[in-house]
Amino acid sequence: MTRKTQQLSELGLQVSYLEAGQGTPLVLIHGVGMNADAWFPQMDVLSRYFRVIAVDMPGHGESSGFRHPATLKDYVQWLAQFLQTQPERSFAIAGHSMGALITAGIAIDYPQWVNHAIVMSGVFKRNDSARNAVLKRAQELASGNVRLDAPLDRWFSDDHHEQPLRQKVGTWLQQVNLDGYARAYQAFAAGDRFYSERWNEMQCPVLVMTGELDANSNPDMTRQMAQAARQGQAVVVANAKHMLNLTDADRVNEEILSFLKPVAAAVTQKEPVKE
């Protein structure tokens, strides 16, 4: 696994990312407060079949962040700029939580670049109670008056097997850039409806996954997203909560490999982008 950086001259931002493997490119996008390392169980396995590229979102990990209030559209355009720097012309893209919203957005706005989309632990048309709760946390983050580890109870169960993962994620949260975290969460808070009426525009197959016990990205949302897409399929992982790519990595990897089997052997190239 190699850490690389890429300058986005149009946006004036630097993207840091992890890369492993060869072949068809699979781009992984983490959630708010995390970083590319959160995909380590997927990097270990999926890099045997794909060139896996796990990016640090703006203001997260080692990527530079936006200097203005950003919407979900800004994060989608950021990813689009990054994809243009890569040597391929077609990508499988998977995102978790906020990354799931970005994945859906780029599949809608830039369908020519996305051959398969994986939307994991995403949100879709929150009810008023859930919307108010997420907006409250967004305000708390913006003010700096917030417990960074507050989501852990929602993200993990009490199972002792999950405790090392909970501690690892808690460490990442404590290390997060607060400005980058707050800007991303503001976009996340409003992101559930940004593309919600356009899911039928996705031209590629879409796998929508969540944990059975994820209260915020609940199974009903997952089924609604899959039904709204032209080629959507829903997977609900039994007894799993929000961080299922960590807690249920074997099942998640199995589902991703099965879904991406049609493109696993396909390698596409394009001319390098001239900046």
Side-chain angles (χ1 to χ4, degrees):
M1 189 184 314
T2 305
R3 171 137 333 243
K4 297 184 176 182
T5 58
Q6 177 67 53
Q7 192 69 27
L8 304 183
S9 57
E10 187 173 324
L11 296 176
L13 296 175
Q14 178 178 283
V15 181
S16 181
Y17 61 100
L18 297 173
E19 180 181 281
Q22 297 179 338
T24 302
L26 167 61
V27 178
L28 306 177
I29 316 159
H30 62 80
V32 177
M34 295 291 96
N35 57 70
D37 289 321
W39 292 106
F40 73 87
Q42 284 68 53
M43 297 286 289
D44 288 346
V45 173
L46 301 181
S47 62
R48 303 171 195 169
Y49 307 90
F50 303 94
R51 181 169 82 95
V52 183
I53 306 161
V55 295
D56 284 334
M57 274 202 315
H60 290 68
E62 299 180 25
S63 287
S64 57
F66 293 116
R67 292 176 290 276
H68 63 275
T71 68
L72 178 58
K73 185 83 168 181
D74 290 302
Y75 289 87
V76 170
Q77 291 176 339
W78 165 86
L79 180 61
Q81 289 289 317
F82 173 73
L83 295 183
Q84 289 183 68
T85 69
Q86 299 303 298
E88 297 88 2
R89 64 173 179 263
S90 182
F91 302 83
I93 301 181
H96 178 263
S97 196
M98 173 66 170
L101 296 179
I102 297 171
T103 297
I106 200 156
I108 291 168
D109 281 348
Y110 300 90
Q112 70 275 21
W113 293 346
V114 185
N115 55 59
H116 286 70
I118 301 166
V119 173
M120 192 182 308
S121 304
V123 288
F124 188 74
K125 298 182 179 179
R126 297 183 183 96
N127 60 35
D128 290 341
S129 176
R131 173 172 288 270
N132 290 337
V134 76
L135 288 173
K136 179 182 177 182
R137 180 161 175 83
Q139 293 168 356
E140 291 170 346
L141 282 166
S143 70
N145 182 28
V146 66
R147 274 186 54 218
L148 292 175
D149 63 353
L152 293 177
D153 288 339
R154 291 187 284 104
W155 291 357
F156 293 95
S157 72
D158 293 330
D159 190 311
H160 72 277
H161 294 295
E162 294 187 12
Q163 298 316 298
L165 293 169
R166 177 183 174 128
Q167 292 173 8
K168 185 184 291 287
V169 169
T171 298
W172 289 331
L173 284 173
Q174 294 299 329
Q175 296 171 342
V176 76
N177 177 294
L178 289 178
D179 184 65
Y181 191 0
R183 290 187 192 278
Y185 205 90
Q186 289 283 346
F188 174 71
D192 63 309
R193 295 180 182 271
F194 204 98
Y195 289 97
S196 62
E197 301 302 328
R198 298 180 58 196
W199 268 66
N200 65 339
E201 297 178 31
M202 289 190 201
Q203 298 178 16
C204 66
V206 184
L207 173 63
V208 191
M209 300 179 66
T210 199
E212 178 187 18
L213 305 180
D214 192 333
N216 291 330
S217 173
N218 60 63
D220 286 342
M221 286 182 178
T222 290
R223 296 185 185 102
Q224 289 170 25
M225 285 185 274
Q227 290 170 1
R230 298 180 188 179
Q231 302 178 69
Q233 63 184 81
V235 171
V236 177
V237 179
N239 299 315
K241 298 184 83 171
H242 191 64
M243 300 300 289
L244 73 163
N245 68 299
L246 294 175
T247 60
D248 295 79
D250 289 346
R251 172 68 186 280
V252 167
N253 292 342
E254 178 185 331
E255 294 290 348
I256 290 175
L257 284 171
S258 177
F259 179 65
L260 295 183
K261 189 175 181 180
V263 297
V267 179
T268 54
Q269 300 291 329
K270 71 173 183 180
E271 292 297 321
V273 173
K274 296 181 180 179
E275 299 258 344

